Amino acid sequence: MFQTLKNAWKIKDLQNKLLFTLLIIILYRLGAQIPVPYINSAVIEGLGQQFSGSILGYMDIMAGGALSQATLFALSVSPYITASIIIQLLSVAIPYFEKLSKDGEAGRKKINMWTRYVTIGLALLTSFGYMKLLDSYGYLVEGANWFAKLVIVASYCAGASLVMWLAEKINESGIGNGISMILFANIISSGPTLVASLWRIITSSSYPLVVGILLGIVILAIVLAIVVLVVLVTNSERKIPIQYAKRMVGRRMYGGQSSIIPLKVVSVGVLPLIFAYSFMAFPGTIIQLASKPTSGLYQWWMNNMSATSPLYMIVCALLIIAFTYFYSSISFQPDEMAKNIQQQGGAIPSVRPGKPTADYLKRINNRLILFAALFLAVLATLPNIITEAAKVNIPFAASSLLIAVSVALETKRQLDDMLVARNYDTLS
């Protein structure tokens, strides 16, 4: 990875893309430290402990701590991600959006426009609920009137809109996916907090120091195992051999060569995890922000949908599996691939061209999707199961670690593709 960055730095346009992405991330992290008017900063420090172990605690990690600090970018990319989920689901269910998704660049621009509108609507709704939560906990300045509350809602909505704009700028002029890069920066920024949590586990007075050291070693081993496993699976491919027939063009003979089609084992990357957690976080956020702590709905959600509850893990795993199948179905087109192979005079050995080739590719892809879905679901829920079974609070979420590692690998892969496109032949 470092060799790839070194090679990319030698090319001027890639260097500009890297610097632009870094600039956007720096601007985002600065915005995550800007306080919002009429928030009582003297008592806001206790908000993070109240979020611990809940959906809001996970959202705080995804926001890089901005949610528990009630700063300008407290909502982070959550409204944007949820809006993207809604629009993509509508692209399957509603003919108008389905037509837009097939209209090329013009349709993509209209879909992006609708995504922005939905993002602003969700940001308004979430900002209002977040303001009500801060007010109920007494985190607003004393005597805050309707104007103060209006300013708070407008500030958080504007912050979410600005984050959306920053993510889109990374997509246009930077490296990697904008949402993923911002989430990566947020997760990395929480590193010192995770190290401090690990140190508290080691030095806890609940058990002897030797036991604490052993627990720390086990947790570090789990982290290393997850990183190695994610790297191995993410880089794994199922290679489909293609044999091209010989043909005469004029006086020259073409074809007769063989190649492969590499199918990624986890082709969907980290998107199912991001979308599944955002989908889970949205109703929980609305319930926790809009309901009183004494209400029945609030109490049910806190008791049954915590990060370590069986119901939460089951629903989350099912959502990850569903989103994996959904994204694979819209990104992999076996009929189109089989048609292109046939037009180029190629064929898969022992498989007839045309529909049999498409059916073969579809069958192989379905197996890969099943493995990817189960892998992501198990990896996302396993640390929560260990936490609940061993009664040890592991100071990280496997989903966060998975997102960070996957984003780094995807960014490296994109840089490699750009280097290849520029005929740079000293890749690592």
Side-chain angles (χ1 to χ4, degrees):
M1 179 178 292
F2 291 113
Q3 184 63 38
T4 298
L5 289 173
K6 180 181 177 181
N7 293 338
W9 190 259
K10 297 177 182 178
I11 301 178
K12 187 63 178 179
D13 58 335
L14 292 185
Q15 183 183 117
N16 292 336
K17 286 179 177 291
L18 289 170
L19 289 174
F20 182 83
T21 304
L22 180 61
L23 175 62
I24 295 295
I25 291 175
I26 292 174
L27 290 175
Y28 173 83
R29 291 306 305 165
L30 288 175
Q33 308 303 318
I34 297 175
V36 171
Y38 303 108
I39 301 295
N40 192 345
S41 58
V43 296
I44 201 67
E45 297 296 332
L47 189 58
Q49 295 183 357
Q50 296 184 7
F51 288 168
S52 180
S54 66
I55 297 293
L56 293 177
Y58 172 78
M59 290 181 62
D60 187 42
I61 296 176
M62 295 294 100
L67 187 67
S68 62
Q69 297 172 5
T71 53
L72 182 63
F73 289 167
L75 303 184
S76 189
V77 293
S78 294
Y80 189 32
I81 293 175
T82 307
S84 300
I85 296 172
I86 294 173
I87 295 299
Q88 293 198 24
L89 291 176
L90 292 179
S91 299
V92 178
I94 298 180
Y96 171 75
F97 287 100
E98 183 179 3
K99 181 176 180 296
L100 288 180
S101 65
K102 298 178 180 178
D103 281 349
E105 184 66 21
R108 187 182 66 82
K109 290 182 178 179
K110 289 186 178 180
I111 287 178
N112 289 340
M113 179 189 68
W114 278 105
T115 303
R116 296 187 190 105
Y117 291 155
V118 176
T119 299
I120 294 173
L122 292 176
L124 276 172
L125 179 62
T126 311
S127 299
F128 177 78
Y130 187 49
M131 181 273 297
K132 295 290 289 183
L133 175 72
L134 295 174
D135 189 21
S136 64
Y137 285 159
Y139 291 130
L140 303 188
V141 295
E142 187 176 353
N145 55 15
W146 65 269
F147 178 76
K149 296 177 180 179
L150 180 63
V151 169
I152 293 172
V153 172
S155 297
Y156 287 129
C157 184
S161 302
L162 184 56
V163 171
M164 173 183 65
W165 181 80
L166 292 174
E168 291 183 348
K169 285 303 176 183
I170 293 178
N171 293 337
E172 294 173 5
S173 306
I175 296 292
N177 179 275
I179 295 177
S180 299
M181 294 303 292
I182 288 177
L183 286 175
F184 178 80
N186 288 338
I187 292 170
I188 294 301
S189 68
S190 63
T193 303
L194 299 181
V195 172
S197 299
L198 180 60
W199 179 252
R200 283 195 296 269
I201 291 176
I202 295 174
T203 59
S204 174
S205 59
S206 302
Y207 34 71
L209 180 61
V210 176
V211 176
I213 294 174
L214 290 176
L215 285 175
I217 293 174
V218 170
I219 291 173
L220 290 176
I222 293 174
V223 172
L224 181 61
I226 291 176
V227 171
V228 172
L229 187 61
V230 170
V231 171
L232 289 176
V233 174
T234 303
N235 290 332
S236 299
E237 297 176 344
R238 171 70 158 86
K239 297 179 180 180
I240 307 296
I242 304 293
Q243 184 68 42
Y244 292 94
K246 295 182 179 180
R247 66 184 190 278
M248 290 291 298
V249 179
R251 295 183 178 182
R252 309 187 72 173
M253 179 74 71
Y254 291 90
Q257 298 178 347
S258 60
S259 64
I260 60 170
I261 298 178
L263 299 181
K264 302 293 294 182
V265 173
V266 184
S267 60
V268 292
V270 75
L271 287 177
L273 276 174
I274 297 174
F275 281 16
Y277 278 103
S278 297
F279 197 85
M280 285 291 293
F282 183 71
T285 304
I286 298 301
I287 291 173
Q288 295 186 52
L289 298 184
S291 302
K292 294 181 179 180
T294 56
S295 65
L297 181 60
Y298 184 94
Q299 293 296 327
W300 181 89
W301 186 269
M302 292 298 293
N303 294 332
N304 296 280
M305 297 302 287
S306 63
T308 56
S309 67
L311 180 59
Y312 173 86
M313 288 187 284
I314 291 173
V315 174
C316 187
L318 291 176
L319 282 175
I320 291 173
I321 293 172
F323 278 117
T324 302
Y325 273 92
F326 173 73
Y327 277 100
S328 297
S329 66
I330 64 178
S331 62
F332 184 79
Q333 303 295 333
D335 294 331
E336 189 70 22
M337 187 177 294
K339 181 180 177 181
N340 293 336
I341 293 173
Q342 187 175 14
Q343 289 176 347
Q344 295 172 7
I348 299 175
S350 303
V351 180
R352 296 180 60 187
K355 189 176 184 303
T357 298
D359 293 339
Y360 175 81
L361 292 173
K362 187 182 300 183
R363 186 166 62 252
I364 295 297
N365 188 58
N366 287 338
R367 295 174 182 173
L368 296 179
I369 295 173
L370 178 61
F371 175 82
L374 294 177
F375 170 75
L376 293 174
V378 170
L379 200 58
T381 56
L382 185 60
N384 292 337
I385 296 175
I386 295 174
T387 299
E388 183 65 17
K391 303 302 179 182
V392 176
N393 185 22
I394 297 179
F396 69 91
S399 55
S400 303
L401 196 59
L402 186 59
I403 289 172
V405 175
S406 298
V407 170
L409 292 174
E410 289 177 10
T411 304
K412 178 187 180 300
R413 186 159 50 246
Q414 184 177 348
L415 280 173
D416 285 341
D417 293 341
M418 290 180 176
L419 289 171
V420 170
R422 289 161 176 77
N423 297 321
Y424 194 84
D425 58 357
T426 59
L427 296 177
S428 56

